Amino acid sequence: MSALSVTTAAPGAVVDPLTGPAALLSMSVGSVPLSDALAWTAIGAFVVAAVLQWSGAVDPARYLAAGAWVVFGVFWLTLAPHYYLEVKSPIETLLAVAALPLCVYTGYLLVRGRGSLLLLSKAVAFMGLIYLPVETIPVVKTWLIETTASQTHFGMELLGHSPGLEEGANGYQSRFAFDPEETVTGRTTYIITACTGIGSMAIFGGLIAAVKAPLRRKVPALALAVGVIWFLNLVRNVFIGLASPWGWFQQDFFVTIATEFMGAPADRTSYIVAHNFIAQSLSIVALLGITYLVLRILPEVLEPLEDVLYILTGTEYDLADALGQELRADGGERRSDGDPDR
């Protein structure tokens, strides 16, 4: 997922017209970009499938959810050129390409009768309902991007840097106005939607909303996930936002990798290393840690996660046993005296 990324913008840079595979990004259905149309279609189908399941029509729900997974996979595939040609992110490119076969396989399992995947489908529906409005409603998007930029700037000030904020290429007051004559690379960064952490928040929000559990445990689990993601996201933005202009990773070894193997300008090396290699790798570790903390509060989330592991490996897992938790009927943990937790 491109959650938490920062886009580099060189002063006066001109973006070449999209050609080849990248042209997928410019395709549209009417006035709606293709990727947005696919995303809304998939999420809408997931929501309808959840309603059908709730009303007792399980088989129609399975078939509709199966189709939604296929559309969802195609949506991610349309983003692969962007991650490869523009973001220069090997991790995000591989995930976007791998999403299609994994989503198709998920749909296949649903058609074959694996009804437990309806819970994972419902979780994706909630994820989309959290993320897509933020991405598509201008006032919400503006507030989130500019607030994140302001908070990131405050973090830079704590470290002795105060570049100020100006309008970025995306039209928001989100660009860190470093003087190109005073920095090492002459480049800077600006905040986009993916830099706000909303993608990661949507993942946990969707999982937590989908499972059956008391609110007294759902609310703390959600607050923990959102709070930790928000803090780590700001740390990540500050790190990338300073590494790029000040050339923290402009060593010859990294420059060779960025220019020879990734086709990037030499002065973009520090951004690529900080964002695509260091920050994205640490984000995976952080998400695993947050998942563990959420599971200690809300072990019901184990069920959709077990299905994710089954899709990836073809093997059934008992994560509750692996974590050493004894689960009661509704998924809650039992105390050592045998009484349900409160």
Side-chain angles (χ1 to χ4, degrees), residues 24 29 43 50 58 68 78 86 96 127 134 140 147 171 182 192 207 223 233 284 289 300 331 337:
L24 282 171
V29 179
I43 297 304
V58 177
T78 63
E86 297 183 28
M127 293 175 197
V134 172
V140 178
T147 298
E182 296 181 358
I192 61 175
L207 288 170
N233 179 62
I284 295 174
E300 288 86 347
D337 59 7

Side-chain angles (χ1 to χ4, degrees), residues 194-281:
C195 311
T196 65
I198 187 61
S200 298
M201 294 177 190
I203 290 174
F204 285 97
L207 288 170
I208 292 169
V211 300
K212 292 182 179 179
L215 283 177
R216 67 176 181 274
R217 287 190 287 113
K218 277 192 171 188
V219 172
L222 181 62
L224 171 68
V226 170
V228 174
I229 291 170
W230 170 80
F231 174 75
L232 293 180
N233 179 62
L234 289 181
V235 172
R236 173 176 160 139
N237 285 345
V238 170
F239 167 63
I240 297 169
L242 293 178
S244 180
W246 295 110
W248 290 355
F249 303 103
Q250 291 298 128
Q251 293 80 15
D252 291 343
F253 173 75
F254 294 126
V255 172
T256 299
I257 293 176
T259 56
E260 298 297 326
F261 297 100
M262 303 182 71
D267 59 4
R268 200 179 182 214
T269 299
S270 285
Y271 167 78
I272 289 176
V273 174
H275 174 263
N276 295 0
F277 297 150
I278 297 176
Q280 286 187 351
S281 299

Side-chain angles (χ1 to χ4, degrees), residues 53-144:
Q53 182 191 18
W54 175 78
S55 65
V58 177
D59 286 341
R62 283 193 299 108
Y63 288 112
L64 180 58
W69 278 104
V70 174
V71 176
F72 197 51
V74 175
F75 155 72
W76 283 110
L77 185 62
T78 63
L79 298 183
H82 167 68
Y83 293 137
Y84 179 73
L85 297 172
E86 297 183 28
V87 181
K88 307 290 185 184
S89 171
I91 294 177
E92 288 177 307
T93 302
L94 289 174
L95 290 175
V97 172
L100 179 58
L102 289 173
C103 288
V104 171
Y105 181 56
T106 303
Y108 168 77
L109 292 174
L110 276 164
V111 171
R112 290 295 300 271
R114 192 176 178 91
S116 63
L117 285 170
L118 285 173
L119 178 58
L120 181 61
S121 302
K122 182 165 68 170
V124 175
F126 279 115
M127 293 175 197
L129 292 176
I130 294 170
Y131 182 84
L132 288 180
V134 172
E135 178 64 37
T136 56
I137 298 176
V139 64
V140 178
K141 187 174 183 178
T142 299
W143 176 83
L144 193 59

Side-chain angles (χ1 to χ4, degrees), residues 32-41 75 132 135-136:
V32 181
L34 175 62
S35 59
D36 286 356
L38 289 170
W40 277 111
T41 299
F75 155 72
L132 288 180
E135 178 64 37
T136 56

